[in-house]
């Protein structure tokens, strides 16, 4: 783990007049300390970080801290709120940031109550947003290396989709085959429930696989993601089983061209809404604007949906920068007919983007 | 989906002087409406429920609502906060509960701000806890049937563990074999990352599988869970590969006896701390009290860790009731030596409990 992640956060604390930040979002804890755990907190002060975990994560936390300068581990018993509160006292922190997007109202109130005994110190809890996320959105060299490797591995699975999605198999069976191939390819787990949406089910962007049998003559959307060394990649292809109806071919070509336009629009300084707009314009021009109801892409990293969001709802001033990694995945969904979605993962580099995934786009 | 779940919640609303509850925790949305989605909100008023989802979940939400009396669907564009706020206006709600354990501080503040234009109505947001969870903790007939079937299916996988965990395979390979068997057994996905902790790794209660090769002459902890029709079951066995060292045998026997004592203590009216205490007393008596650092069990249902919690930290007055489903999983962990954990799932029934899992407990 690079010590500079913690250092960069500590400099954000100073910029925001915070003495400390209570980091409770597990991907943020992992980012800063190297620890993967579903519970615990990293209490980050201006010059030290105390990782507070319970018994279950004691050994893993110590291992992570050993390779992350500036991180100490304290194992607590009892409540996490009391443990955080104790950590803040140790740091003598008075202006304390919490992760407002992640800390629940109840936890916030309990933390406030647990600091009650220290009225003379008068610490204040300050809701903050995106302090760690702002760092995470630009991947460092270590992260880029992991994501490139993950992209290569998911592409190997993607090139075998035609062997998995054969008429006569159920959606669930095809999903199981994909998941098994991801495991074999070295992924720790799926990044989300694999989508296999055949025929009319393709019209549901977030379909869940059913026991419906794939039939010759219909399309199937296959959308799957894997977690590799903690990092998520995500790939979608749409295949047609057998003869291709003209209407489906037109949808496919439109989405393929929309995706190409989206990818072509990616470069440092491009606005998120313009990348989305580039893909959307193609679908609009083919009469499929209404059929494309979601955004063009989302960031990838320790979470499968993270910043940046490429959508028409993105703030007008939001631009992408070198080191960002995200999906480009336009789609078109027509009830009763089916759907098409095509998704690849890109890394923004000087002058454009590098494709992390490499699977032919063919119906 | 049974309409009575919504009816029981609505009667809790009346008891708590709430006009509405904003349900944002996905398992709670699923429980009340049948919709599985990672986003959206169920705005529950005293006599109707409006399920607000975005485009992605429109079809799934309508399908769920069709079989759940009292649920209407509204598809929103824009922000979820504005959508919730609009739903509350429609209900003319003034005293509005939010799920304080699940709603983030930022979402709470945004929701407050979005209601700003209605100062004459003066609605108030009330942090609530466990309103839906209180219902979920007692499984209804539909849920019991699913959990029984899930228990049968995971037991089939559990009886094959000895074929998966063979010397020469890596922990990751064994985990992949278990996950694949769970898929074949009909599970939608693992309920958590499968644990295969061999030799000294067994000393970490939450070990993650590594490329370490299983060796003859050592123990291995195998802990896995599956999601079946939305419901989670969870099973752990500890195996010894080949010759059993006397020290490991003693640990195993102690944990096995502790688990049996825990299961024997389960009946309606038993206190959570006493069930935990029954298992803990056995380990204490064998000198392994310090080696057992976690609780004896956790509830199972739409989440893999839910109420009740069976631990020494449980409130003294908390008792278990017929219809609750939870794990009994004492363990012992000794750094450098390894670990033992044995876990089964039980349903509390009149006079005792029914084991949902059925796999021989043998080293």
């Amino acid at each position: 783990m690079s010590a500079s992640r913690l250092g960069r956060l500590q400099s954000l604390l100073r910029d925001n007049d915070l003495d400390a930040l209570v980091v409770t979002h597990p991907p943020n804890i992992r980012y800063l300390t190297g620890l993967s755990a579903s519970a615990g907190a990293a209490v980050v002060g201006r010059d030290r970080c105390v990782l507070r975990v319970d018994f279950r994560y004691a050994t893993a936390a110590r291992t992570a801290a050993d390779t992350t300068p500036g991180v100490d581990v304290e194992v607590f018993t009892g409540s996490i709120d009391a443990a955080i509160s104790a950590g803040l006292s140790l740091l003598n922190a008075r202006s304390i940031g919490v992760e407002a997007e992640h800390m629940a109202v109840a936890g916030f109130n309990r933390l406030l109550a647990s600091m009650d005994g220290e009225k003379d110190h008068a610490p204040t809890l300050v809701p903050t947003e995106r302090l760690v996320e702002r760092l995470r959105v630009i991947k460092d060299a270590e992260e880029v290396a992991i994501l490139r490797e993950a992209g290569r591995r998911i592409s190997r699975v993607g090139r075998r989709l035609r062997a998995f999605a054969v008429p006569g198999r159920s959606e669930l069976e095809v999903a199981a085959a994909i998941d098994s191939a991801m495991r074999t390819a070295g992924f720790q787990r799926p990044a989300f429930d694999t989508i296999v949406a055949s025929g009319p089910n393709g019209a549901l962007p977030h379909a869940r696989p059913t026991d419906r049998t794939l039939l010759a003559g219909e399309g199937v959307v296959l959308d799957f993601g894997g977690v590799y060394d903690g990092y998520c990649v995500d790939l979608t292809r749409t295949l047609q089983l057998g003869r291709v109806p003209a209407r489906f071919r037109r949808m496919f070509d439109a989405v393929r061209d929309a995706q190409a336009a989206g990818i072509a629009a990616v470069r440092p300084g491009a606005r998120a809404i313009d990348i989305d707009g580039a893909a959307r314009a193609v679908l609009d021009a083919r009469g499929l604007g209404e059929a494309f109801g979601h955004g063009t892409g989302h960031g990838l990293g320790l979470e499968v949906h993270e910043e940046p969001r490429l959508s028409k709802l993105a703030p007008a001033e939001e631009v992408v920068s070198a080191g960002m990694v995200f999906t480009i995945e336009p789609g078109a969904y027509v009830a009763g007919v089916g759907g098409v979605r095509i998704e690849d993962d890109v890394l923004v580099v000087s002058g454009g983007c590098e494709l992390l995934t490499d699977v032919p786009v063919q119906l």
Side-chain angles (χ1 to χ4, degrees), chain A:
Chain A
M1 201 54 44
S2 91
S4 68
R5 295 181 190 170
L6 208 47
R8 283 183 291 145
L9 178 62
Q10 284 162 332
S11 112
L12 282 180
L13 294 189
R14 282 184 286 269
D15 294 348
N16 286 271
D17 288 324
L18 295 171
D19 297 321
L21 179 69
V22 178
V23 179
T24 47
H25 188 47
N28 290 347
I29 294 174
R30 154 83 199 241
Y31 181 75
L32 296 169
T33 71
L35 174 70
S36 293
S38 61
V43 181
V44 183
R46 289 200 182 184
D47 47 24
R48 57 186 291 224
C49 167
V50 184
L51 186 53
R52 303 216 145 216
V53 296
D54 65 34
F55 165 86
R56 296 169 299 167
Y57 297 108
T59 306
R62 290 194 188 103
T63 305
D66 281 349
T67 55
T68 313
V71 176
D72 298 317
V73 174
E74 301 267 359
V75 178
F76 68 87
T77 53
S79 83
I80 179 81
D81 313 296
I84 293 171
S85 193
L88 290 165
S89 297
L90 275 178
L91 291 174
N92 211 14
R94 301 165 77 92
S95 175
I96 299 155
V98 298
E99 300 191 280
E101 289 287 350
H102 308 299
M103 182 175 275
V105 170
F108 182 87
N109 289 340
R110 280 196 302 262
L111 186 55
L112 262 185
S114 75
M115 303 194 308
D116 230 28
E118 313 173 26
K119 285 236 166 57
D120 43 337
H121 273 271
T124 54
L125 288 187
V126 182
T128 71
E129 292 188 22
R130 305 181 52 244
L131 286 179
V132 184
E133 282 81 353
R134 210 177 302 174
L135 304 177
R136 280 175 48 200
V137 71
I138 307 292
K139 270 60 185 177
D140 61 28
E142 185 183 334
E143 294 178 294
V144 167
I146 295 170
L147 283 159
R148 279 199 181 115
E149 181 60 29
R152 277 191 288 271
R153 287 171 186 250
I154 202 165
S155 298
R156 290 210 291 268
V157 178
R159 286 190 289 268
R160 293 169 58 201
L161 289 177
R162 226 168 275 272
F164 300 143
V166 291
R169 284 200 185 171
S170 74
E171 293 176 347
L172 280 164
E173 286 169 339
V174 176
I178 292 173
D179 289 357
S180 173
M182 279 200 288
R183 267 286 202 188
T184 307
F187 289 96
Q188 298 162 247
R189 60 173 171 275
F192 53 85
D193 284 5
T194 293
I195 294 170
V196 177
S198 64
N201 290 351
L204 286 71
H206 275 219
R208 305 213 298 171
T210 67
D211 52 15
R212 184 181 190 281
T213 299
L214 276 59
L215 300 176
E218 62 185 23
V220 56
V221 178
L222 305 130
D223 184 353
F224 55 104
V227 183
Y228 178 76
D229 202 0
Y231 283 78
C232 302
V233 285
D234 190 353
L235 182 71
T236 307
R237 285 295 180 268
T238 301
L239 304 179
Q240 170 68 22
L241 309 174
R243 197 186 62 80
V244 183
R247 184 173 179 188
F248 198 75
R249 159 71 66 192
R250 279 196 299 276
M251 268 176 75
F252 182 87
D253 289 350
V255 174
R256 181 199 58 203
D257 295 349
Q259 201 221 14
I263 292 172
V266 176
R267 62 184 156 276
R271 298 194 307 167
I273 52 169
D274 291 338
I275 298 170
D276 178 79
R280 199 168 296 280
V282 173
L283 289 163
D284 280 340
R286 314 270 178 104
L288 289 167
E290 290 294 307
F292 177 34
H294 56 75
T296 292
H298 56 84
L300 293 169
L302 290 167
E303 291 176 275
V304 71
H305 291 106
E306 55 175 64
E307 299 186 34
R309 313 274 167 178
L310 306 170
S311 92
K312 57 185 176 186
L313 300 173
E317 68 282 7
E318 195 168 306
V319 297
V320 305
S321 308
M324 288 186 181
V325 172
F326 47 80
T327 69
I328 297 286
E329 51 171 316
Y333 312 92
V334 178
V337 175
V340 174
R341 184 166 61 257
I342 302 171
E343 174 183 38
D344 286 283
D345 304 340
V346 303
L347 165 69
V348 185
V349 297
S350 172
C353 70
E354 173 187 321
L355 276 164
L356 299 179
T357 44
D358 172 26
V359 178
V361 180
Q362 287 164 348
L363 191 53

